[in-house]
Amino acid sequence: MFSRVIEEEFLEQLSDNPAVALLGPRQVGKTTLIKSFLDQFGKPSIYLDLESNADLIRLQDAELYLDERRESIIILDEIQRMPSLFPLMRSLIDRNRVPGRFILLGSASPDLLKNSSETLAGRIAFLELHPLLLEEVKNEISYAVHWLRGGYPAMLQAATDRSSARKMADFISSYIERDLPLLGIPGNPVNVRLLVNMLVSVHGGLLNVSQLANSLKMSVPTIQTYLDYLENAFLIRRLLPWHVNVSKRLVKTPKIYIRDSGMLHSLAGITGMEDLTGNIIVGSSWEGYVIQQVIAALPFNVKPYFYRTQDGAELDLVLVKGNNVKLAIEIKYTNSPTLSRGNSVAQQDLGNPLLLIVTPSAEDFRLKENIQVCSISTFSNYLKEAL
């Protein structure tokens, strides 16, 4: 098992909150991570899988069962399957408010788990477990393999690239046909699959919902609903534009990304590095891959955006703390990067913050006084220093 960067924060939140929810897509390693902590909790723990009939039977009288075990940490896996537990957990916590009463594991975001965010307000901390990051695996796995296969453990550690691609294809089918309907997504899974396939062609571009609706012969509200569910299931990301500079004519449309690079490649029919480097999506794939690595490593109080004006000034990522731009990032799929005039103008618009140019494997060097070139393997050093 790989060490996860979230481990320290999880244990910290558990020592300070009655409930901690660890959320993320299926098969990302949530259950494995929690089970690795059992010896560190300092008190007994009980693991309940809400997809197990045996465990559901134990919860037929959930209040009695959970109250009798108030001295144990209760781990509830796939919590989105039983939202009726949220009001009960609030009541139990209020009767005996101590840290670490409940650990909730789920495959849906807080927005989709509205019962938890509303019912347990002030009693719960939310953390997201992302697919394995390069920072977590780089001592054993190269960036190229990680980029190609993505961060889902089973796919990343498959015996061959072909096996990895097959596992991902099966995973996507299962998610669309089984998991999304369980989360409440309306409509036919065939239509959802058509949309997901279409997202490959717009990955890294500005989101045009009307264009997607026209192409798929669906209504705009239907496409918007599907996108909301895909985002709340941690499969896609809508990256918002930074538009604090009101004197500029700014793009205000979000950009859209398929979060996991391995999922993107599977949907695009890419099964090896030769396929990837020769594919038309290689540049947008690299951009999305780096963005995922950066965003997954951000502290909770730093928000990511992109910057683009109608006049062509643009930067791939702008990291904002409070209302201040702390770091700008431009992503280049080359080890001999140059900046466009639009990149330079954007940096000036933002007040000349440090601009990090992230490449596949270039040696780190200063391009100019406030422009640093680095590799995907070393960007985290500059991220920590700037934030």
Side-chain angles (χ1 to χ4, degrees), residues 20-24 30 50 76-87 89 104-121 124-127 182-184 228-229 232-234:
V20 176
L22 186 63
L23 307 178
K30 299 184 294 294
L50 300 186
L76 297 167
D77 203 347
E78 299 300 340
I79 187 62
Q80 72 280 351
R81 298 293 301 272
M82 206 167 175
S84 61
L85 287 177
F86 293 129
M89 282 187 283
L104 312 180
L105 308 181
S107 305
S109 74
D111 286 343
L112 211 54
L113 292 175
K114 286 184 179 178
N115 282 329
S116 64
S117 57
E118 294 171 1
T119 306
L120 294 178
I124 188 169
F126 290 99
L127 297 175
L182 288 174
L183 292 176
D228 288 344
Y229 272 91
N232 283 319
F234 306 104

Coordinates of all heavy atoms in Angstrom, one line a residue, residues 20-24 30 50 76-87 89 104-121 124-127 182-184 228-229 232-234:
V20 N -16.1 12.2 10.7 CA -15.3 12.6 9.5 C -15.7 11.8 8.3 O -15.9 10.6 8.4 CB -13.8 12.4 9.8 CG1 -13.0 12.7 8.6 CG2 -13.3 13.2 11.0
A21 N -16.0 12.5 7.2 CA -16.4 11.8 6.0 C -15.2 11.8 5.0 O -14.7 12.9 4.7 CB -17.6 12.5 5.4
L22 N -14.8 10.7 4.6 CA -13.8 10.5 3.6 C -14.5 10.1 2.3 O -15.0 9.0 2.2 CB -12.8 9.5 4.0 CG -11.5 9.3 3.1 CD1 -10.7 10.6 3.1 CD2 -10.7 8.1 3.6
L23 N -14.5 11.1 1.4 CA -15.2 10.9 0.1 C -14.3 10.8 -1.1 O -13.2 11.3 -1.0 CB -16.2 12.1 -0.1 CG -17.1 12.4 1.1 CD1 -18.0 13.6 0.8 CD2 -18.0 11.2 1.4
G24 N -14.8 10.1 -2.1 CA -14.0 10.0 -3.3 C -14.6 8.9 -4.2 O -15.5 8.2 -3.8
K30 N -10.4 4.2 -0.3 CA -10.9 4.7 0.9 C -10.9 3.6 2.0 O -10.4 3.9 3.1 CB -12.3 5.3 0.7 CG -12.4 6.4 -0.3 CD -13.8 7.0 -0.3 CE -14.8 6.1 -0.9 NZ -14.6 5.7 -2.3
L50 N -22.4 -0.8 3.9 CA -23.8 -0.6 3.7 C -24.3 -1.2 2.3 O -25.4 -1.1 1.9 CB -24.2 0.9 3.7 CG -23.9 1.5 5.1 CD1 -24.4 2.9 5.1 CD2 -24.5 0.7 6.2
L76 N -18.8 3.6 8.6 CA -19.9 3.3 7.7 C -19.5 3.5 6.3 O -19.2 4.6 5.8 CB -21.1 4.2 8.0 CG -21.7 4.0 9.5 CD1 -22.6 5.1 9.8 CD2 -22.4 2.6 9.6
D77 N -19.3 2.4 5.5 CA -18.8 2.4 4.2 C -20.0 2.5 3.2 O -21.0 1.9 3.4 CB -18.0 1.2 3.9 CG -17.0 1.4 2.7 OD1 -17.1 2.4 2.0 OD2 -16.2 0.5 2.5
E78 N -19.8 3.3 2.1 CA -20.9 3.6 1.1 C -22.1 4.2 1.8 O -23.2 3.8 1.6 CB -21.2 2.4 0.3 CG -20.1 1.8 -0.4 CD -19.5 2.7 -1.5 OE1 -20.2 3.7 -1.9 OE2 -18.3 2.5 -1.9
I79 N -21.8 5.3 2.5 CA -22.9 6.0 3.4 C -24.0 6.5 2.5 O -25.1 6.6 3.0 CB -22.2 7.1 4.2 CG1 -23.3 7.7 5.2 CG2 -21.6 8.2 3.3 CD1 -23.8 6.7 6.2
Q80 N -23.7 6.8 1.2 CA -24.8 7.3 0.4 C -25.9 6.3 0.2 O -27.0 6.7 -0.3 CB -24.2 7.8 -1.0 CG -23.8 6.7 -1.9 CD -22.4 6.1 -1.6 OE1 -21.7 6.7 -0.8 NE2 -22.1 5.0 -2.3
R81 N -25.7 5.1 0.5 CA -26.7 4.1 0.3 C -27.8 4.1 1.5 O -28.9 3.5 1.3 CB -26.1 2.7 0.4 CG -25.1 2.4 -0.8 CD -25.8 2.3 -2.1 NE -26.9 1.3 -2.2 CZ -26.7 0.0 -2.5 NH1 -25.4 -0.4 -2.8 NH2 -27.6 -0.8 -2.5
M82 N -27.5 4.9 2.5 CA -28.4 4.9 3.7 C -28.5 6.3 4.3 O -28.1 6.5 5.4 CB -28.0 3.8 4.7 CG -29.1 3.3 5.6 SD -28.5 1.8 6.5 CE -30.0 1.5 7.5
P83 N -29.0 7.2 3.6 CA -29.1 8.6 4.1 C -30.0 8.8 5.3 O -29.8 9.8 6.0 CB -29.7 9.4 2.9 CG -30.4 8.4 2.0 CD -29.6 7.1 2.2
S84 N -30.8 7.8 5.6 CA -31.7 7.9 6.8 C -30.8 7.8 8.1 O -31.4 8.2 9.2 CB -32.7 6.7 6.8 OG -32.0 5.4 6.8
L85 N -29.6 7.4 8.0 CA -28.7 7.4 9.2 C -28.3 8.8 9.6 O -27.9 9.0 10.8 CB -27.5 6.5 8.9 CG -27.7 5.0 8.8 CD1 -26.4 4.3 8.5 CD2 -28.3 4.5 10.2
F86 N -28.3 9.8 8.8 CA -27.7 11.1 9.1 C -28.5 11.7 10.3 O -27.8 12.2 11.2 CB -27.7 12.0 7.9 CG -26.8 11.6 6.8 CD1 -27.2 11.4 5.5 CD2 -25.5 11.3 7.1 CE1 -26.4 11.0 4.5 CE2 -24.6 10.9 6.1 CZ -25.0 10.7 4.8
P87 N -29.8 11.8 10.3 CA -30.4 12.4 11.5 C -30.2 11.6 12.8 O -30.0 12.2 13.9 CB -31.9 12.4 11.1 CG -32.0 12.3 9.6 CD -30.8 11.5 9.3
M89 N -27.4 9.9 13.5 CA -26.1 10.2 13.9 C -26.0 11.6 14.6 O -25.3 11.7 15.6 CB -25.1 10.2 12.7 CG -24.7 8.8 12.2 SD -23.4 8.8 11.0 CE -24.4 9.2 9.5
L104 N -17.3 8.1 8.0 CA -18.2 7.9 6.9 C -17.4 7.8 5.6 O -16.6 8.7 5.3 CB -19.2 9.0 6.8 CG -20.0 9.4 8.1 CD1 -21.0 10.5 7.8 CD2 -20.6 8.2 8.7
L105 N -17.6 6.7 4.9 CA -16.9 6.6 3.6 C -18.0 6.6 2.5 O -19.0 6.0 2.6 CB -16.1 5.3 3.5 CG -15.2 5.0 4.7 CD1 -14.5 3.6 4.4 CD2 -14.2 6.1 4.8
G106 N -17.7 7.4 1.4 CA -18.8 7.5 0.4 C -18.2 7.9 -0.9 O -17.1 8.4 -1.1
S107 N -19.0 7.6 -1.9 CA -18.6 7.8 -3.3 C -19.4 9.0 -3.9 O -19.6 9.0 -5.2 CB -18.9 6.5 -4.2 OG -18.3 5.4 -3.6
A108 N -19.8 9.9 -3.1 CA -20.6 11.1 -3.6 C -20.1 12.3 -2.8 O -19.7 12.2 -1.6 CB -22.1 10.9 -3.4
S109 N -20.1 13.4 -3.4 CA -19.7 14.7 -2.8 C -20.6 15.2 -1.8 O -21.8 14.8 -1.8 CB -19.5 15.7 -3.9 OG -20.7 16.2 -4.3
P110 N -20.2 16.1 -0.9 CA -21.2 16.7 0.0 C -22.4 17.3 -0.6 O -23.5 17.3 0.0 CB -20.3 17.8 0.8 CG -18.9 17.3 0.6 CD -18.9 16.6 -0.7
D111 N -22.2 17.9 -1.8 CA -23.4 18.5 -2.5 C -24.5 17.4 -2.8 O -25.7 17.7 -2.8 CB -23.0 19.1 -3.8 CG -22.3 20.4 -3.6 OD1 -22.4 21.0 -2.5 OD2 -21.6 20.9 -4.5
L112 N -24.0 16.2 -3.1 CA -25.0 15.1 -3.4 C -25.5 14.5 -2.1 O -26.6 14.0 -2.0 CB -24.3 14.0 -4.2 CG -25.2 13.3 -5.2 CD1 -26.1 14.2 -6.1 CD2 -24.4 12.3 -6.1
L113 N -24.6 14.6 -1.0 CA -25.0 14.1 0.3 C -25.6 15.2 1.1 O -25.1 15.5 2.2 CB -23.8 13.4 1.0 CG -23.2 12.2 0.4 CD1 -22.0 11.7 1.1 CD2 -24.3 11.0 0.5
K114 N -26.6 15.9 0.6 CA -27.1 17.1 1.3 C -27.5 16.8 2.7 O -27.4 17.7 3.6 CB -28.2 17.7 0.5 CG -27.7 18.4 -0.8 CD -28.8 19.1 -1.5 CE -28.3 19.9 -2.7 NZ -29.4 20.5 -3.5
N115 N -28.0 15.6 3.0 CA -28.5 15.3 4.3 C -27.3 15.4 5.3 O -27.5 15.8 6.4 CB -29.1 13.9 4.3 CG -30.5 13.8 3.8 OD1 -31.2 14.8 3.9 ND2 -30.8 12.7 3.1
S116 N -26.1 15.0 4.9 CA -25.0 15.0 5.8 C -24.6 16.4 6.1 O -24.3 16.8 7.2 CB -23.9 14.2 5.3 OG -23.4 14.7 4.1
S117 N -24.5 17.2 5.0 CA -24.0 18.6 5.2 C -24.9 19.5 5.9 O -24.5 20.4 6.6 CB -23.7 19.2 3.8 OG -24.8 19.2 3.0
E118 N -26.2 19.2 5.9 CA -27.2 19.9 6.6 C -27.5 19.4 8.0 O -27.4 20.1 9.0 CB -28.5 20.0 5.8 CG -28.4 20.7 4.5 CD -29.6 20.6 3.6 OE1 -30.6 19.9 4.0 OE2 -29.6 21.1 2.4
T119 N -27.7 18.1 8.1 CA -28.1 17.4 9.3 C -26.9 17.4 10.3 O -27.1 17.6 11.5 CB -28.5 16.0 9.1 OG1 -29.6 16.0 8.2 CG2 -29.0 15.4 10.4
L120 N -25.7 17.2 9.8 CA -24.5 17.1 10.7 C -23.7 18.4 10.7 O -22.5 18.4 11.0 CB -23.6 15.9 10.2 CG -24.3 14.6 10.4 CD1 -23.3 13.5 9.9 CD2 -24.6 14.3 11.9
A121 N -24.2 19.5 10.3 CA -23.5 20.8 10.3 C -22.9 21.1 11.7 O -23.5 20.9 12.7 CB -24.4 21.9 9.9
I124 N -19.2 17.5 11.6 CA -18.6 16.7 10.6 C -17.5 17.5 9.8 O -17.7 18.6 9.5 CB -19.6 16.0 9.6 CG1 -19.0 15.0 8.8 CG2 -20.3 17.1 8.8 CD1 -20.0 14.1 8.0
A125 N -16.4 16.8 9.5 CA -15.4 17.3 8.6 C -15.4 16.5 7.3 O -15.5 15.2 7.4 CB -14.1 17.3 9.2
F126 N -15.3 17.1 6.2 CA -15.3 16.4 4.9 C -13.9 16.5 4.3 O -13.2 17.5 4.2 CB -16.2 17.1 3.9 CG -17.7 16.9 4.2 CD1 -18.4 17.9 4.8 CD2 -18.3 15.7 3.9 CE1 -19.7 17.8 5.1 CE2 -19.7 15.5 4.2 CZ -20.4 16.6 4.8
L127 N -13.4 15.3 3.9 CA -12.1 15.2 3.2 C -12.3 14.4 1.9 O -13.1 13.5 1.9 CB -11.1 14.5 4.1 CG -10.7 15.2 5.4 CD1 -9.8 14.3 6.2 CD2 -10.0 16.6 5.1
L182 N -27.6 4.5 -8.8 CA -27.8 4.4 -7.3 C -27.6 5.8 -6.6 O -28.2 6.0 -5.6 CB -26.8 3.5 -6.7 CG -27.0 2.0 -7.0 CD1 -25.9 1.1 -6.5 CD2 -28.3 1.5 -6.4
L183 N -26.9 6.7 -7.3 CA -26.7 8.0 -6.7 C -27.9 8.9 -7.1 O -28.0 10.1 -6.6 CB -25.4 8.7 -7.2 CG -24.1 8.1 -6.7 CD1 -22.9 8.7 -7.3 CD2 -24.0 8.2 -5.2
G184 N -28.8 8.4 -8.0 CA -30.0 9.1 -8.3 C -30.0 9.8 -9.6 O -30.9 10.6 -9.9
D228 N -23.8 17.7 -13.5 CA -23.8 17.8 -12.1 C -23.5 16.5 -11.4 O -22.7 16.4 -10.4 CB -25.1 18.4 -11.6 CG -25.3 19.9 -12.0 OD1 -24.3 20.5 -12.3 OD2 -26.5 20.3 -12.0
Y229 N -24.2 15.5 -11.8 CA -24.0 14.1 -11.2 C -22.6 13.6 -11.5 O -22.0 13.0 -10.6 CB -25.1 13.1 -11.7 CG -26.3 13.2 -10.9 CD1 -27.4 14.0 -11.3 CD2 -26.5 12.4 -9.8 CE1 -28.6 14.0 -10.5 CE2 -27.6 12.4 -9.1 CZ -28.7 13.2 -9.4 OH -29.8 13.2 -8.7
N232 N -20.4 15.5 -9.1 CA -20.6 15.1 -7.7 C -20.1 13.6 -7.4 O -20.0 13.3 -6.3 CB -22.0 15.3 -7.3 CG -22.4 16.7 -7.1 OD1 -21.6 17.4 -6.5 ND2 -23.5 17.1 -7.6
A233 N -19.9 12.9 -8.5 CA -19.4 11.5 -8.4 C -17.9 11.5 -8.6 O -17.2 10.4 -8.7 CB -20.0 10.6 -9.3
F234 N -17.3 12.7 -8.6 CA -15.8 12.9 -8.7 C -15.2 12.4 -10.1 O -14.0 12.0 -10.1 CB -15.1 12.2 -7.6 CG -15.6 12.6 -6.2 CD1 -16.4 11.7 -5.5 CD2 -15.2 13.8 -5.7 CE1 -16.9 12.1 -4.2 CE2 -15.6 14.1 -4.4 CZ -16.5 13.3 -3.7

